[in-house]
Amino acid sequence: MVYIAIRGRLLLSLGMLSAAIIAFQLALMQVLSIVQWHHFAYMVISMALLGFGAGGTLLSLFRQRLLKRIHWLLPVLMISCGITMSLVIYVSQFAFIRFDSYLLFANYAHIGRLLLTYLLFFIPFLLGALAIGLIFDHYVALIGKVYFANLLGSAAGGLLLLALLYFLLPHRLPAFISFLPVIAGTMIIPVDHESSRFKNKVALFLFAFIAFISCTGSIIIPPQLQLSQFKDISKALLLPDARIKLEKASPYGPIQAVTSPVLRYAPGLSLLASQPVNASTAVFINGDWVGAVTGSSQPDTAFILNYTSFDLPYRMADRKDVLVLQAGAGIAVAHALSHHATQVVAVEPNAILVAALKHELAADNDSLFYQPAVTVHTQEPRNFLFSDTTHYDLISLPVAGSFGGSAGLYSLHEQFILTKEAFLSMWPRLKEGGAISITAWMDYPARNPLKLLATLTEALEQLNIRQPQHHIAAIRSWGTISFVVTKSALTGTEIRNIRNFCNQWQFDPALLPGLQPTERARYHQLQDSSFFQNMDQLLSTGRDSLYADYDFNIRPAIDNSPYFSQFIRWKSLPRLAEYFGNRSIPFFEIGYVLVVITLVQIALISFVLVLLPLFKPGWKDKSKPGVLLYFGGIGLGYMFVEMVFIQHFTFYFGHPVYAAAAVITALLLFSGLGSFVSGRLEGKRKLLLLVFTVIIVLLFIYAAVLMPLLRQTAQSGLPVKLLIVFLLMAPLAFCMGIPFPAGLSQLARTQSPAIPWAWGLNGCMSVISAALATLIAVEAGFTMVMWLAAFAYCLPLIVLIFYLI
Amino acid sequence: MVKQQIERRGVKDTVVLKAMRTVKRHAFVPASQAGNAYEDRPLPIGYGQTISQPYIVAYMTEVIKPQSNFKVLEIGTGSGYQAAVLSAIVKEVYTIEIIPELGKSATEQLKKADCKNVQVKTGDGYHGWKEHAPYDAIVVTAAAEYIPPPLISQLKEGGKMVIPVGSSFMTQMLILVEKKKDTATTKSLLPVAFVPLTRKK
């Protein structure tokens, strides 16, 4: 076989193409997170990944014709994949294609634009997938090595992108990645193949040259991203004399600081406050508001938060040692200093943001992070709490929810800082007179304040505090509600101080021992008293009935399902639609609605793609159900495992990017090794049965012990954590790398026309399971996803037991 | 629109209803949205802004109890529709828009609609419009997470200020600020027929 000679090159080329596809997928996600929101990123990418399903279908339908031309078709497909990668972002920014998330539900023309965007991003994936599918099919005899190259390349691509994120702004990423498929394709242009005519070779090299020009051009002139007009930063940039003061790449997304003489921040300011609200610089990540950067060396009478409900903890008692979790742009740190705190520990996971606040933005915050009282830790708050041994007078948390609601854009955002366990882990860090403070926006219908109170109450009960109401104080402005939870029962002095503060600045106490009903709405009346009734019910034995009856999910978030901002309950939708109108419904929780829509779309399209090849003549019927169960099951199971590991390790590493890097690398690397040895299992059905049994057993064990194990070792250093992760994942991932190539080998012996279908099927199921895993995690928790992954792996086991393929 | 969306939901002030019938909403929405002008929902007008649903405009107008001798300040002109509705009822309307393009197009539309008693200014609404203060009422249509102190000081004793809170694509909750004896109190107003959400119908 002539191709044997270039097998090494081909494997390298396949690895590069696989790396490019994964890296391009992650880069597109970043780009779309900026121009829209990450749910759309997810939606479009899922759609694009259906390229694999479509690739499998095309191969099924035109298999012989495509395989016959594989020598020149492979380079053409790879080079085309590179060219399209370099161009799609430009095209997606044309006015007639650009869609807007919000307008999808307000202007139906945008649905058409969304479909065009789908189609556009689908192209490079389809081209790349076709190339990979052709290689899998043509070299099925070497499937172990081929799949190994594919997985190893994918792992490298994930890591490459993560490295690039530190140095390049997202709109520059695709251009760099697009070189990989072009190089991969150029490498395998058949130079010594007798049947390839000189003309063909010249044409291929010329094509490669044009591709290099295109990729280079997109590096020199990167596409300009047009952000949604509804993004926070878009609105800020419309302000008079607004300018972007700072722009930095970061693994969390690009950090931008905007300054304007009219940009001010004074959340829920007292209506009696008469001093001017000074302009501040605002920081955005991915175009979303992070916080205001305000000067900190002002006399405390001028510090704006002192005239908001945020000031409550400082009015109750002296707070000398303060811990600020998720410090963001640092306003809570400045607030603590304005009250003469002697030690302020700021914890902010985004090191690049901290560096910007220390350098480029130091003039805006009066060198806040250089103040002798301030210590900064670039760690995830939960991880910090695991290792910290200091005791504090106050632990300050970031605002829950956003002004006017975020239309549920954060519903699928994992917030480990707002779970019940998070509050439990803060408790030991408090001094005897210490307190935790957190503020939420008063939303309508009430969601954030109630869920917050439910979380605080349940946490206190778990700490064996019999009367939580003696430990919680809450006050309301016209727009905010601030909670303070005290370690010791509220003292008479504290209660008096709270009342004095409320009277001085016209806030209303909402929770306070000995509170009279008339006190609750003296200055800020609500439409009715149901909000207070609900608060009281949360503190009473009627809590569970409120959970059951309330139209939104206000049960506390837990580590197993850390979605604090997920409030939607499907059964309430008809009633809410009746209240607010059908058109309003998506805006309650756009994020969640979109993932559901995504899942439905993908399921429908996958169904079509998977069904199509079944109508192809000349294919024995008896193997179809077996192929469907076997490859569908491993596609579903593999992605479930990947998703649930990323979710778990986000908690562990405190950083979704590191978690994704660790999981993608470990999973793909060890799966690659499994794939490499899979050739030795050929025809050894019993061994394969054992592999599946090991996978299922391990998944059940992990479902039970993974989270506790991670909690036990959460305070370890990064090297130890990485070692633990690799040890945990190695056996499972190794075994999970075996079934796919082993299954394809089996098909090659008995039913080779089914190979592309099996591969496409596996791709489709992987995409479906990515969206499905998220929904299951939200509704039933991570553990359930793990169990379902185990169940998915039972399907191929059944196929093997009953000789269905 | 007025009968179905506004009267049926409880807006009774005849002066407000008349103004809602008189002012042509389609003149204040972008051409691409003209077909949806009389639908019961907010509409996008560009620059990340929306024109509120007709019912909210009517409700906000009714809430300030407008009289023919009133001087009203509006913060956030947007499309100019709210100013046009106010102009049909009160003596003088002063409106401030921070985005120059919106300010310009609203000025043109208001001129076309023959609203002679409206003055539009492009600028920062934070400082209000001192030259014409004090005002009988202030209508804030641009959501801000704080109420600028200068606005409260430009409100007459007994004056009312109304502010929408919530996603601009939904029926919003309104905050009514009332100034009495140098203090300001607020009331949350819910424009939808209200049954507490926890009670089953």
Side-chain angles (χ1 to χ4, degrees):
Chain A
M1 207 165 148
V2 181
Y3 245 61
I4 298 290
I6 63 158
R7 195 187 302 151
R9 249 191 303 158
L10 185 81
L11 290 179
L12 181 61
S13 153
L14 170 65
M16 285 173 82
L17 176 66
S18 308
I21 287 176
I22 288 280
F24 185 68
Q25 174 196 334
L26 295 171
L28 268 189
M29 281 186 157
Q30 277 292 333
V31 167
L32 284 155
S33 296
I34 297 165
V35 293
Q36 295 294 317
W37 283 271
H38 69 276
H39 317 90
F40 273 91
Y42 185 66
M43 197 169 177
V44 175
I45 296 297
S46 298
M47 216 60 184
L49 281 177
L50 283 170
F52 281 85
T57 305
L58 278 176
L59 272 173
S60 287
L61 298 174
F62 308 106
R63 185 166 180 255
Q64 290 310 329
R65 261 181 279 177
L66 293 171
L67 286 173
K68 210 183 291 177
R69 297 167 177 79
I70 189 169
H71 307 308
W72 64 266
L73 199 54
L74 272 185
V76 166
L77 285 170
M78 289 187 189
I79 295 167
S80 306
C81 173
I83 291 179
T84 51
M85 279 182 182
S86 72
L87 296 178
V88 288
I89 301 288
Y90 289 96
V91 182
S92 73
Q93 296 302 292
F94 288 155
F96 70 95
I97 291 186
R98 228 172 42 232
F99 73 92
D100 197 299
S101 325
Y102 274 90
L103 297 181
L104 279 177
F105 303 101
N107 177 354
Y108 291 144
H110 280 255
I111 293 175
R113 294 181 182 195
L114 177 65
L115 291 174
L116 273 175
T117 310
Y118 279 163
L119 191 66
L120 192 63
F121 292 150
F122 176 79
I123 298 165
F125 289 101
L126 175 68
L127 293 166
L130 265 174
I132 294 174
L134 274 171
I135 296 171
F136 275 17
D137 199 348
H138 193 262
Y139 296 96
V140 73
L142 308 161
I143 188 66
K145 285 178 180 149
V146 168
Y147 193 48
F148 170 67
N150 170 238
L151 289 175
L152 205 65
S154 300
L159 289 178
L160 169 76
L161 197 277
L162 291 169
L164 286 177
L165 278 179
Y166 283 88
F167 306 105
L168 292 176
L169 289 168
H171 67 288
R172 290 191 160 275
L173 293 168
F176 284 90
I177 297 161
S178 66
F179 275 100
L180 286 173
V182 175
I183 296 168
T186 311
M187 273 169 58
I188 54 164
I189 292 175
V191 285
D192 52 358
H193 194 259
E194 59 204 18
S195 70
S196 61
R197 292 194 198 127
F198 179 72
K199 250 196 311 186
N200 285 356
K201 276 185 263 183
V202 170
L204 281 173
F205 277 111
L206 189 65
F207 185 45
F209 179 71
I210 292 167
F212 276 109
I213 300 279
S214 162
C215 298
T216 310
S218 60
I219 284 181
I220 297 166
I221 312 163
Q224 292 306 308
L225 298 182
Q226 303 286 328
L227 272 61
S228 161
Q229 56 175 306
F230 301 102
K231 291 221 78 153
D232 298 333
I233 198 168
S234 304
K235 293 182 182 182
L237 287 170
L238 286 170
L239 297 174
D241 303 321
R243 62 183 181 87
I244 294 181
K245 187 174 181 163
L246 163 104
E247 199 162 23
K248 272 189 152 182
S250 106
Y252 286 93
I255 299 171
Q256 288 159 308
V258 174
T259 173
S260 158
V262 305
L263 193 58
R264 302 180 187 88
Y265 182 69
L269 184 70
S270 163
L271 300 185
L272 288 189
S274 55
Q275 63 280 1
V277 182
N278 296 322
S280 48
T281 299
V283 175
F284 302 83
I285 292 184
N286 275 333
D288 300 323
W289 173 271
V290 171
V293 182
T294 56
S296 58
S297 65
Q298 321 168 35
D300 66 354
T301 49
F303 197 77
I304 209 69
L305 288 189
N306 297 0
Y307 310 99
T308 67
S309 65
F310 288 69
D311 213 38
L312 175 64
Y314 297 102
R315 299 299 182 125
M316 292 163 61
D318 255 2
R319 312 285 181 191
K320 292 295 177 205
D321 296 319
V322 180
L323 171 64
V324 178
L325 295 177
Q326 226 148 291
I331 194 164
V333 178
H335 189 198
L337 289 181
S338 80
H339 283 285
H340 314 296
T342 51
Q343 184 202 200
V344 185
V345 177
V347 181
E348 169 51 48
N350 193 335
I352 295 175
L353 172 61
V354 170
L357 290 162
K358 277 184 155 181
H359 301 109
E360 295 91 335
L361 299 174
D364 299 79
N365 62 24
D366 300 326
S367 302
L368 177 69
F369 288 172
Y370 291 102
Q371 302 286 331
V374 178
T375 320
V376 189
H377 293 270
T378 49
Q379 250 182 304
E380 201 277 334
R382 287 293 295 278
N383 277 317
F384 175 82
L385 288 166
F386 277 121
S387 53
D388 188 37
T389 53
T390 318
H391 292 86
Y392 302 94
D393 294 306
L394 177 67
I395 298 178
S396 161
L397 278 93
V399 181
S402 58
F403 174 70
S406 58
L409 278 164
Y410 302 101
S411 55
L412 301 179
H413 184 53
E414 285 143 15
Q415 294 169 284
F416 286 102
I417 191 70
L418 293 178
T419 63
K420 195 160 69 172
E421 293 92 334
F423 287 95
L424 293 173
S425 64
M426 290 172 213
W427 206 249
R429 302 275 53 83
L430 291 175
K431 289 181 185 174
E432 204 43 49
I436 300 168
S437 77
I438 182 162
T439 296
W441 287 100
M442 287 292 294
D443 45 11
Y444 178 75
R447 283 153 291 165
N448 280 293
L450 294 180
K451 195 177 248 189
L452 210 44
L453 180 59
T455 310
L456 298 174
T457 310
E458 285 200 20
L460 287 173
E461 282 177 359
Q462 208 160 317
L463 291 159
N464 295 321
I465 290 168
R466 293 228 175 84
Q467 293 186 299
Q469 61 271 35
H470 289 176
H471 291 256
I472 305 176
I475 65 167
R476 237 175 10 102
S477 72
W478 64 272
T480 56
I481 180 162
S482 294
F483 292 88
V484 170
V485 190
T486 54
K487 189 156 188 177
S488 315
L490 286 154
T491 62
T493 309
E494 284 173 329
I495 293 168
R496 241 189 333 274
N497 290 346
I498 293 171
R499 279 206 167 89
N500 291 343
F501 175 50
C502 285
N503 290 333
Q504 186 183 359
W505 294 107
Q506 294 195 347
F507 298 127
D508 288 319
L511 287 174
L512 204 60
L515 194 63
Q516 299 303 312
T518 49
E519 286 183 279
R520 281 178 144 176
R522 194 183 297 166
Y523 301 110
H524 306 289
Q525 292 171 26
L526 296 176
Q527 181 82 6
D528 67 78
S529 59
S530 65
F531 176 69
F532 302 125
Q533 287 164 9
N534 292 336
M535 283 183 105
D536 294 340
Q537 202 171 339
L538 286 172
L539 286 157
S540 71
T541 48
R543 189 187 313 142
D544 286 328
S545 70
L546 181 67
Y547 287 163
D549 290 343
Y550 203 64
D551 276 321
F552 294 91
N553 168 24
I554 51 167
R555 281 179 191 278
I558 51 173
D559 282 351
N560 191 35
S561 186
Y563 302 98
F564 182 89
S565 301
Q566 193 280 311
F567 297 104
I568 273 290
R569 298 179 74 184
W570 302 109
K571 67 171 194 179
S572 309
L573 289 186
R575 247 159 68 77
L576 294 172
E578 197 185 326
Y579 263 38
F580 296 96
N582 287 328
R583 291 259 195 172
S584 290
I585 290 301
F587 295 102
F588 272 116
E589 223 149 290
I590 283 186
Y592 206 14
V593 169
L594 287 179
V595 172
V596 174
I597 293 172
T598 306
L599 187 62
V600 171
Q601 283 174 332
I602 293 169
L604 284 173
I605 293 172
S606 299
F607 191 66
V608 172
L609 289 175
V610 168
L611 277 184
L612 268 179
L614 291 176
F615 297 104
K616 195 179 172 226
W619 184 4
K620 282 185 218 157
D621 276 346
K622 73 176 179 69
S623 66
K624 287 178 189 171
V627 172
L628 181 71
L629 284 180
Y630 186 95
F631 289 93
I634 58 176
L636 203 63
Y638 196 98
M639 201 42 117
F640 269 11
V641 172
E642 185 173 322
M643 294 293 287
V644 84
F645 268 116
I646 289 176
Q647 287 159 341
H648 273 87
F649 293 139
T650 298
F651 166 80
Y652 198 48
F653 290 112
H655 195 314
V657 178
Y658 295 156
V663 170
I664 288 172
T665 309
L667 197 62
L668 296 177
L669 182 71
F670 291 113
S671 292
L673 292 173
S675 162
F676 199 79
V677 302
S678 68
R680 298 180 190 185
L681 268 69
E682 209 153 309
K684 295 174 182 164
R685 192 174 280 265
K686 277 186 181 162
L687 263 179
L688 199 53
L689 280 172
L690 179 67
V691 166
F692 277 113
T693 311
V694 170
I695 293 172
I696 293 161
V697 169
L698 278 177
L699 284 172
F700 273 115
I701 293 171
Y702 286 175
V705 306
L706 188 61
M707 205 61 176
L709 182 75
L710 296 184
R711 265 200 213 105
Q712 286 299 316
T713 57
Q715 62 272 47
S716 315
L718 190 65
V720 176
K721 281 186 179 180
L722 282 172
L723 184 70
I724 289 170
V725 168
F726 274 64
L727 286 175
L728 276 171
M729 290 187 69
L732 181 64
F734 180 83
C735 292
M736 281 165 58
I738 294 170
F740 181 74
L744 282 191
S745 293
Q746 174 66 20
L747 283 186
R749 285 195 301 275
T750 59
Q751 195 55 259
S752 66
I755 290 173
W757 187 65
W759 175 71
L761 181 68
N762 182 269
C764 276
M765 293 314 282
S766 302
V767 179
I768 289 177
S769 58
L772 199 58
T774 307
L775 288 185
I776 295 165
V778 168
E779 296 289 343
F782 297 158
T783 310
M784 177 60 81
V785 181
M786 201 84 97
W787 285 340
L788 289 172
F791 173 75
Y793 273 104
C794 290
L795 300 176
L797 188 66
I798 292 164
V799 171
L800 285 178
I801 290 169
F802 293 99
Y803 287 85
L804 296 176
I805 55 169
Chain B
M1 171 185 92
V2 173
K3 206 166 195 63
Q4 281 302 312
Q5 298 170 28
I6 299 170
E7 264 188 282
R8 198 172 55 85
R9 287 201 182 108
V11 174
K12 293 186 184 71
D13 191 327
T14 49
V15 184
V16 174
L17 293 172
K18 187 180 167 201
M20 293 300 295
R21 284 196 183 93
T22 316
V23 179
K24 296 179 176 64
R25 188 170 155 91
H26 65 264
F28 292 90
V29 302
S32 62
Q33 292 288 342
N36 305 321
Y38 295 94
E39 281 191 22
D40 183 23
R41 60 185 174 107
L43 298 172
I45 57 168
Y47 307 98
Q49 307 297 314
T50 53
I51 176 173
S52 297
Q53 79 190 96
Y55 167 60
I56 291 287
V57 174
Y59 190 93
M60 282 175 82
T61 312
E62 186 180 56
V63 150
I64 60 167
K65 296 196 167 66
Q67 307 292 320
S68 56
N69 60 342
F70 264 26
K71 196 187 330 173
V72 179
L73 173 68
E74 185 198 25
I75 307 294
T77 317
S79 65
Y81 181 64
Q82 174 75 69
V85 170
L86 286 165
S87 121
I89 302 170
V90 303
K91 191 177 169 195
E92 296 163 65
V93 180
Y94 296 91
T95 177
I96 306 172
E97 173 54 56
I98 202 160
I99 298 164
E101 293 85 349
L102 284 177
K104 195 167 159 245
S105 69
T107 307
E108 282 167 18
Q109 292 310 329
L110 288 161
K111 203 176 278 177
K112 276 187 200 163
D114 203 26
C115 301
K116 292 191 176 70
N117 57 346
V118 181
Q119 275 195 53
V120 185
K121 180 168 91 168
T122 299
D124 178 14
Y126 172 88
H127 301 287
W129 201 332
K130 218 171 176 175
E131 295 87 329
H132 305 284
Y135 299 95
D136 297 283
I138 299 178
V139 175
V140 181
T141 51
E145 78 268 318
Y146 67 99
I147 299 168
L151 294 188
I152 294 173
S153 63
Q154 288 174 26
L155 198 57
K156 271 185 190 169
E157 175 63 26
K160 292 182 169 66
M161 186 186 331
V162 66
I163 301 166
V165 175
S167 164
S168 52
F169 281 95
M170 285 176 59
T171 296
Q172 294 169 310
M173 188 173 69
L174 301 173
I175 301 278
L176 177 70
V177 182
E178 292 183 275
K179 188 172 173 181
K180 279 179 194 155
K181 294 180 199 148
D182 287 334
T183 76
T185 57
T186 72
K187 225 183 249 176
S188 298
L189 304 172
L190 188 69
V192 282
F194 186 64
V195 181
L197 274 171
T198 52
R199 263 180 248 151
K200 297 286 176 227
K201 282 183 181 172

